PDB file of all heavy atoms in Angstrom:
ATOM      1  N   HIS A 812      -5.275  -1.416  -6.645  1.00 94.00           N
ATOM      2  CA  HIS A 812      -5.129  -0.773  -7.949  1.00 94.00           C
ATOM      3  C   HIS A 812      -5.438   0.726  -7.826  1.00 94.00           C
ATOM      4  O   HIS A 812      -4.688   1.558  -8.333  1.00 94.00           O
ATOM      5  CB  HIS A 812      -6.042  -1.426  -8.985  1.00 94.00           C
ATOM      6  CG  HIS A 812      -5.776  -0.933 -10.371  1.00 94.00           C
ATOM      7  ND1 HIS A 812      -4.752  -1.426 -11.156  1.00 94.00           N
ATOM      8  CD2 HIS A 812      -6.350   0.059 -11.098  1.00 94.00           C
ATOM      9  CE1 HIS A 812      -4.724  -0.771 -12.302  1.00 94.00           C
ATOM     10  NE2 HIS A 812      -5.689   0.136 -12.297  1.00 94.00           N
ATOM     11  N   LEU A 813      -6.511   1.042  -7.123  1.00 91.00           N
ATOM     12  CA  LEU A 813      -6.948   2.448  -7.021  1.00 91.00           C
ATOM     13  C   LEU A 813      -5.858   3.349  -6.441  1.00 91.00           C
ATOM     14  O   LEU A 813      -5.678   4.479  -6.889  1.00 91.00           O
ATOM     15  CB  LEU A 813      -8.207   2.556  -6.162  1.00 91.00           C
ATOM     16  CG  LEU A 813      -9.477   1.871  -6.688  1.00 91.00           C
ATOM     17  CD1 LEU A 813     -10.668   2.228  -5.806  1.00 91.00           C
ATOM     18  CD2 LEU A 813      -9.769   2.257  -8.132  1.00 91.00           C
ATOM     19  N   VAL A 814      -5.137   2.855  -5.437  1.00 85.00           N
ATOM     20  CA  VAL A 814      -4.145   3.733  -4.803  1.00 85.00           C
ATOM     21  C   VAL A 814      -3.054   4.138  -5.784  1.00 85.00           C
ATOM     22  O   VAL A 814      -2.392   5.153  -5.580  1.00 85.00           O
ATOM     23  CB  VAL A 814      -3.504   3.105  -3.529  1.00 85.00           C
ATOM     24  CG1 VAL A 814      -4.540   2.907  -2.448  1.00 85.00           C
ATOM     25  CG2 VAL A 814      -2.778   1.816  -3.842  1.00 85.00           C
ATOM     26  N   GLY A 815      -2.894   3.364  -6.861  1.00 88.00           N
ATOM     27  CA  GLY A 815      -1.857   3.701  -7.835  1.00 88.00           C
ATOM     28  C   GLY A 815      -2.318   4.646  -8.923  1.00 88.00           C
ATOM     29  O   GLY A 815      -1.493   5.128  -9.705  1.00 88.00           O
ATOM     30  N   MET A 816      -3.634   4.912  -9.031  1.00 92.00           N
ATOM     31  CA  MET A 816      -4.097   5.719 -10.169  1.00 92.00           C
ATOM     32  C   MET A 816      -5.165   6.745  -9.823  1.00 92.00           C
ATOM     33  O   MET A 816      -5.583   7.514 -10.676  1.00 92.00           O
ATOM     34  CB  MET A 816      -4.591   4.815 -11.322  1.00 92.00           C
ATOM     35  CG  MET A 816      -5.521   3.681 -10.972  1.00 92.00           C
ATOM     36  SD  MET A 816      -7.112   4.096 -10.285  1.00 92.00           S
ATOM     37  CE  MET A 816      -8.008   4.649 -11.710  1.00 92.00           C
ATOM     38  N   LYS A 817      -5.610   6.773  -8.569  1.00 88.00           N
ATOM     39  CA  LYS A 817      -6.777   7.615  -8.266  1.00 88.00           C
ATOM     40  C   LYS A 817      -6.458   9.113  -8.348  1.00 88.00           C
ATOM     41  O   LYS A 817      -7.374   9.922  -8.400  1.00 88.00           O
ATOM     42  CB  LYS A 817      -7.369   7.251  -6.899  1.00 88.00           C
ATOM     43  CG  LYS A 817      -6.476   7.557  -5.734  1.00 88.00           C
ATOM     44  CD  LYS A 817      -7.148   7.175  -4.433  1.00 88.00           C
ATOM     45  CE  LYS A 817      -6.237   7.562  -3.288  1.00 88.00           C
ATOM     46  NZ  LYS A 817      -6.684   7.148  -1.994  1.00 88.00           N
ATOM     47  N   ALA A 818      -5.167   9.468  -8.396  1.00 82.00           N
ATOM     48  CA  ALA A 818      -4.812  10.888  -8.526  1.00 82.00           C
ATOM     49  C   ALA A 818      -4.833  11.348  -9.986  1.00 82.00           C
ATOM     50  O   ALA A 818      -4.533  12.504 -10.278  1.00 82.00           O
ATOM     51  CB  ALA A 818      -3.432  11.133  -7.932  1.00 82.00           C
ATOM     52  N   SER A 819      -5.226  10.473 -10.916  1.00 88.00           N
ATOM     53  CA  SER A 819      -5.291  10.852 -12.334  1.00 88.00           C
ATOM     54  C   SER A 819      -6.302  11.991 -12.514  1.00 88.00           C
ATOM     55  O   SER A 819      -7.309  12.048 -11.812  1.00 88.00           O
ATOM     56  CB  SER A 819      -5.736   9.653 -13.185  1.00 88.00           C
ATOM     57  OG  SER A 819      -4.874   8.557 -12.967  1.00 88.00           O
ATOM     58  N   GLN A 820      -6.011  12.875 -13.486  1.00 90.00           N
ATOM     59  CA  GLN A 820      -6.897  14.047 -13.647  1.00 90.00           C
ATOM     60  C   GLN A 820      -8.273  13.667 -14.173  1.00 90.00           C
ATOM     61  O   GLN A 820      -9.275  14.229 -13.768  1.00 90.00           O
ATOM     62  CB  GLN A 820      -6.243  15.061 -14.584  1.00 90.00           C
ATOM     63  CG  GLN A 820      -5.112  15.814 -13.908  1.00 90.00           C
ATOM     64  CD  GLN A 820      -4.399  16.722 -14.905  1.00 90.00           C
ATOM     65  OE1 GLN A 820      -5.001  17.312 -15.782  1.00 90.00           O
ATOM     66  NE2 GLN A 820      -3.094  16.813 -14.760  1.00 90.00           N
ATOM     67  N   CYS A 821      -8.301  12.708 -15.119  1.00 95.00           N
ATOM     68  CA  CYS A 821      -9.590  12.258 -15.665  1.00 95.00           C
ATOM     69  C   CYS A 821      -9.551  10.731 -15.778  1.00 95.00           C
ATOM     70  O   CYS A 821      -8.653  10.180 -16.407  1.00 95.00           O
ATOM     71  CB  CYS A 821      -9.837  12.899 -17.031  1.00 95.00           C
ATOM     72  SG  CYS A 821     -11.396  12.352 -17.762  1.00 95.00           S
TER      73      CYS A 821
END
Side-chain angles (χ1 to χ4, degrees):
H812 188 82
L813 296 187
V814 296
M816 47 63 76
K817 66 180 183 186
S819 304
Q820 285 175 37
C821 179

